[in-house]
């Protein structure tokens, strides 16, 4: 536990995770501004499980994870899904898979269309750049092997704190085969994904320092440098239970927070603002525990209502993911022996990493990526069939705005409806609730071809399950509650078969088509979260279910803001950490004024 005995600061940031550390770092650039960060987890910046890129999965279910789980999901035949969230300095950026993936312009412009006129693609581009530095491999052989011919300097971060590099190496045949397969299908990326206007296959980058081959994340890139400043204060091991308000002026003014540290209830006061950055599950939970939410729900748990807002905890969005593992041809390298913790493989990987910063420890396993349209919907006749399919499932009136926005994205012929990846090891998704890796590890070497949704129609919720702050929230993502999501994802799963059979990739797999109904059944049995939950305290007009306004201020309050993934009105395509960082960078500028 880190103890900093400051109990009053200009700003209190609840949650020292991805967004919280960005904002706290930027605010303390002014030496006269004192910021106190309160983080429930511990400082794990020296923990090798956090720092070594390949170990991220070992943190799921550990003390660095809140270990949440969804309610049984009707759309998954009653299956519950694990919903990991990071708990410790750096939050989920300390346990994530490190893939650095771009949103699309249309996906971010949708935020403006939903009523946030100052939040569009143009407004966020400078912040994607500000947060990262893209390191291109220094040798031409690696650049050629990974097909990195698309980098556009207009969108490339060159001095941001998060170091982004390419985990693919020339020794690994999958990198080249992936790019060549997409080139062969005439589906190589149409540009730099961070231009916001590309689809197709490419070698993706990851938040990994290119020199030391360690995770680059909010904890080390924003947290540790800020800790050197006398005006940055941090308490770890403290779970905030409640925000305190003064309502004398008619507007709720947040004066402080209460939380327990080592069994003792403590109060911390803010002179200016309280900034919530507790993540997509814990942010709505904290609002509700503090009296901001649906009155009926608060009354049920005996919590006095300070601000009535039934949008709190609603609008939850996530990307479902699934994949199929195939045995690879003899000689192809994969991470399976490490997953099985085979001593010889571990020893060799450890040695390679320690001596040369090389080998399987240097990657989170995701280095080849593609943004794809359903192949059968690419042509005009297919687009018509897709529109008919969507029209069969009209929204309820309260879902119309969200439905229409998602529909416009899905029907845009230049917009992907799923991301395809190759994960270089088995993913035992049949093993019910174990998540991506499963528990029953198979012998042999595998690679998994995976699909992640880009623009789901289905939305869910996350609410308190008790007035007790230590109780887990009730998470109901309502996966596949809109049947179109299953229709689209199943078609992508089918298309993976054709990808595997391309000349370039087929030679890397042992020989082994899925009918659409089989693909649907497979998805219902196996799909799980790709860990991208957001939207549960959305930036939207209040009468459209909004919780914060365009300045990220909680409606009805004068100085309580939210800066984390909860505020996303619509989930961007692809893995969301780049947008979490960009939003937090912009939030810091908004707060600075
Ligand atoms: C396992 C996993 C893999 C992922 N992989 C990828 C990937 O490869 N690429 C990608 O782009 N994205 C990925 N993501 C998603 C991405 O990492 C997250 O969306 C992002 O980090 C969320 O940032 P945040 O600031 O909203 O929340 P977090 O980073 O989760 O921060 C919230 C912080 O608040 C703290 N907190 C919560 N409640 C309280 C409280 N009451 N009091 C005090 N502190 C509190 C938490 O402990 C945590 O540190 C992954 C996420 C996970 C969980």
């Amino acid at each position: 536990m880190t103890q900093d005995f400051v109990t009053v600061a200009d700003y209190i940031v609840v949650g020292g995770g991805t967004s919280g550390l960005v904002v706290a770092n930027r605010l303390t650039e002014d030496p006269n501004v004192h910021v106190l960060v309160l983080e429930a987890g511990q400082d794990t910046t020296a923990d090798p499980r956090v720092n070594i890129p390949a170990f991220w999965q070992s943190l799921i279910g550990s003390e660095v994870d809140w270990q949440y789980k969804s309610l049984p999901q009707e759309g998954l035949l009653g299956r519950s899904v694990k919903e990991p969230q990071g708990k410790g300095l750096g939050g989920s950026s300390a346990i994530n898979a490190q893939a650095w993936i771009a949103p699309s312009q249309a996906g971010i412009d949708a935020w403006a269309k939903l009523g946030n006129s100052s939040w569009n693609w143009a407004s966020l581009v400078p912040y994607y750049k500000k947060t990262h530095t893209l390191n291109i491999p220094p040798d031409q052989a690696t650049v050629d092997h990974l097909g990195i011919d698309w980098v556009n300097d207009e969108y490339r971060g060159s001095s941001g704190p998060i170091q982004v590099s390419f985990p693919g190496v020339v020794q690994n045949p999958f990198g080249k085969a992936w790019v060549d397969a997409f080139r062969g299908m005439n589906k190589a990326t149409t540009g730099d994904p961070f231009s916001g206007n590309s689809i197709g296959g490419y070698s993706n980058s990851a938040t990994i320092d290119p020199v030391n081959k360690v995770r680059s994340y909010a904890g080390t890139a924003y947290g540790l440098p800020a800790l050197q400043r006398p005006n940055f204060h941090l308490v770890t091991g403290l779970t905030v239970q409640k925000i305190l308000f003064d309502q004398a002026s008619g507007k709720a003014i947040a004066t402080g927070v209460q939380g327990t540290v080592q069994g003792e209830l403590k109060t911390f006061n803010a002179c200016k603002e309280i900034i919530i950055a507790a993540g997509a599950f814990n942010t709505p939970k904290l609002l509700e525990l503090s009296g901001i939410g649906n009155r009926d729900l608060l009354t049920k748990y005996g919590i006095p209502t300070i601000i009535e807002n039934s949008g709190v905890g609603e609008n939850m969005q996530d990307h479902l993911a699934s994949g199929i593992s195939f045995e690879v041809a003899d000689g192809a390298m994969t991470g399976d022996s490490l997953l099985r913790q085979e001593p010889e493989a571990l020893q060799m990987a450890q040695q390679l990493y320690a001596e040369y910063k090389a080998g399987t420890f240097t990657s989170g396993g995701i280095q080849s990526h593609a943004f794809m349209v359903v192949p059968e919907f690419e042509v005009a006749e297919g687009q018509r069939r897709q529109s008919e399919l969507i029209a069969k499932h009209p929204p309820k009136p309260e879902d119309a705005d969200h439905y229409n926005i998602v529909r416009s994205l899905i029907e845009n012929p230049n917009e992907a409806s799923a991301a395809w990846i190759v994960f270089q090891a088995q993913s035992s998704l049949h093993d019910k609730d174990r998540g991506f890796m499963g528990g029953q590890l198979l012998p042999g070497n595998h690679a998994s071809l995976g699909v992640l949704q880009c623009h789901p129609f289905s939305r869910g919720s996350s609410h308190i399950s008790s007035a007790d702050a230590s109780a887990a929230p009730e998470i109901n993502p309502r996966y596949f509650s809109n049947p179109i999501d299953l229709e689209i994802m199943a078609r992508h799963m089918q298309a993976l078969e054709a990808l595997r059979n391309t000349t370039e990739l087929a030679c890397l797999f042992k020989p082994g088509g899925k009918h659409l109904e089989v693909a649907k059944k497979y998805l219902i049995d196996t799909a799980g979260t790709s860990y991208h939950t957001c939207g549960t305290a959305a930036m939207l007009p209040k009468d459209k279910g909004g919780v914060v306004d365009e300045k990220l201020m909680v409606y009805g309050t004068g100085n309580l803001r939210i800066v984390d993934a909860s505020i996303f009105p619509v989930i961007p395509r692809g893995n969301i950490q780049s947008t979490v960082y960009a939003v937090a960078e912009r939030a810091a500028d908004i707060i600075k004024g």
Side-chain angles (χ1 to χ4, degrees), residues 396-450:
K396 292 187 189 141
E398 64 271 25
D399 289 327
D401 288 349
H402 178 258
Y403 175 95
N404 289 332
I405 277 288
V406 174
R407 182 171 184 169
S408 71
L409 294 169
I410 296 280
E411 291 185 339
N412 177 344
N414 299 316
E415 188 71 18
S417 52
W420 298 1
I421 58 167
V422 61
F423 178 70
Q424 278 165 227
Q426 59 188 282
S427 56
S428 307
L429 289 154
H430 285 296
D431 191 21
K432 303 285 176 196
D433 71 347
R434 279 297 304 261
F436 197 60
M437 284 321 307
Q440 309 263 311
L441 293 167
L442 306 167
N445 292 329
H446 303 76
S448 310
L449 295 178

Side-chain angles (χ1 to χ4, degrees), residues 327-503:
E327 229 181 327
V328 297
D330 294 336
M333 276 167 38
T334 73
D336 293 84
S337 49
L338 289 182
L339 288 174
R340 289 188 297 264
Q341 308 221 340
E342 290 170 11
E344 213 176 292
L346 269 173
Q347 201 191 351
M348 189 197 277
Q350 241 155 9
Q351 202 176 341
L352 272 174
Y353 189 71
E355 287 180 20
Y356 307 107
K357 295 290 171 208
T360 33
F361 278 9
T362 60
S363 163
I366 301 168
Q367 49 209 42
S368 300
H369 191 268
F371 279 121
M372 300 299 289
V373 175
V374 172
E376 70 170 269
F377 294 159
E378 277 173 337
V379 291
E381 166 57 19
Q383 284 169 22
R384 196 188 51 73
R385 280 207 312 280
Q386 178 175 250
S387 295
E388 277 173 11
L389 197 60
I390 294 174
K392 273 192 203 155
H393 303 284
K396 292 187 189 141
E398 64 271 25
D399 289 327
D401 288 349
H402 178 258
Y403 175 95
N404 289 332
I405 277 288
V406 174
R407 182 171 184 169
S408 71
L409 294 169
I410 296 280
E411 291 185 339
N412 177 344
N414 299 316
E415 188 71 18
S417 52
W420 298 1
I421 58 167
V422 61
F423 178 70
Q424 278 165 227
Q426 59 188 282
S427 56
S428 307
L429 289 154
H430 285 296
D431 191 21
K432 303 285 176 196
D433 71 347
R434 279 297 304 261
F436 197 60
M437 284 321 307
Q440 309 263 311
L441 293 167
L442 306 167
N445 292 329
H446 303 76
S448 310
L449 295 178
V451 165
L452 281 68
Q453 294 176 308
C454 278
H455 300 298
F457 284 88
S458 306
R459 291 190 293 175
S461 62
S462 180
H463 291 289
I464 47 170
S465 59
S466 155
D468 177 356
S470 64
E474 202 171 87
I475 298 170
N476 185 6
R478 300 182 69 238
Y479 293 126
F480 289 148
S481 53
N482 188 321
I484 311 166
D485 289 339
L486 180 61
E487 294 286 348
I488 291 174
M489 206 174 164
R491 284 167 170 80
H492 280 287
M493 287 297 292
Q494 276 186 307
L496 290 182
E497 190 61 24
L499 174 67
R500 183 170 74 101
N501 288 328
T502 54
T503 321

Side-chain angles (χ1 to χ4, degrees), residues 126-196:
Y127 295 103
Y128 288 107
K129 286 176 78 172
K130 184 174 184 182
T131 195
H132 83 282
T133 299
L134 178 66
N135 301 273
I136 294 179
D139 62 303
Q140 194 57 37
T142 305
V143 169
D144 292 343
H145 182 81
L146 299 177
I148 309 168
D149 56 4
W150 43 259
V151 174
N152 181 339
D153 284 341
E154 205 181 322
Y155 302 98
R156 177 181 177 185
S158 55
S159 57
I162 299 293
Q163 296 302 315
V164 173
S165 63
F166 290 86
V169 291
V170 285
Q171 292 81 1
N172 183 340
F174 273 99
K176 183 165 168 45
W178 181 268
V179 171
D180 287 347
F182 281 86
R183 284 178 177 160
M185 295 187 291
N186 205 17
K187 290 186 192 316
T189 187
T190 52
D192 186 331
F194 275 88
S195 70

Side-chain angles (χ1 to χ4, degrees), residues 14-20 38-41 56 60 66 84-93 95-101 238-241 277-280 282-283 286 366 530-533 563-566 574-578 580:
V14 180
T18 318
S19 52
L38 303 174
E39 167 54 43
W56 64 276
I60 296 177
W66 285 86
Q85 283 277 290
K87 184 180 188 179
L89 206 61
S92 298
S93 72
I95 70 167
N96 71 19
Q98 301 143 116
W100 182 250
I101 306 294
L238 184 138
T239 304
V240 173
Q241 297 177 352
N282 288 318
T283 285
L286 182 59
I366 301 168
S530 49
Y531 321 114
H532 300 161
T533 303
V563 297
D564 61 27
S566 317
N575 310 44
I576 64 171
Q577 67 167 333
S578 55
V580 173

Side-chain angles (χ1 to χ4, degrees), residues 500-584:
R500 183 170 74 101
N501 288 328
T502 54
T503 321
E504 295 82 1
L505 282 167
C507 59
L508 296 176
F509 291 107
K510 289 195 172 159
K514 293 215 175 298
H515 186 267
L516 182 61
E517 293 310 311
V518 177
K520 286 186 194 170
K521 167 85 176 73
Y522 182 82
L523 280 173
I524 290 166
D525 283 349
T526 62
T529 175
S530 49
Y531 321 114
H532 300 161
T533 303
C534 59
T536 47
M539 174 174 63
L540 284 171
K542 175 116 190 308
D543 61 348
K544 303 276 189 191
V547 177
V548 297
D549 64 18
E550 291 186 50
K551 300 276 181 213
L552 306 177
M553 195 70 82
V554 175
Y555 288 115
T557 72
N559 64 342
L560 179 65
R561 286 190 225 245
I562 302 175
V563 297
D564 61 27
S566 317
I567 69 99
F568 294 8
V570 185
I571 194 166
R573 74 170 186 186
N575 310 44
I576 64 171
Q577 67 167 333
S578 55
T579 302
V580 173
Y581 280 114
V583 165

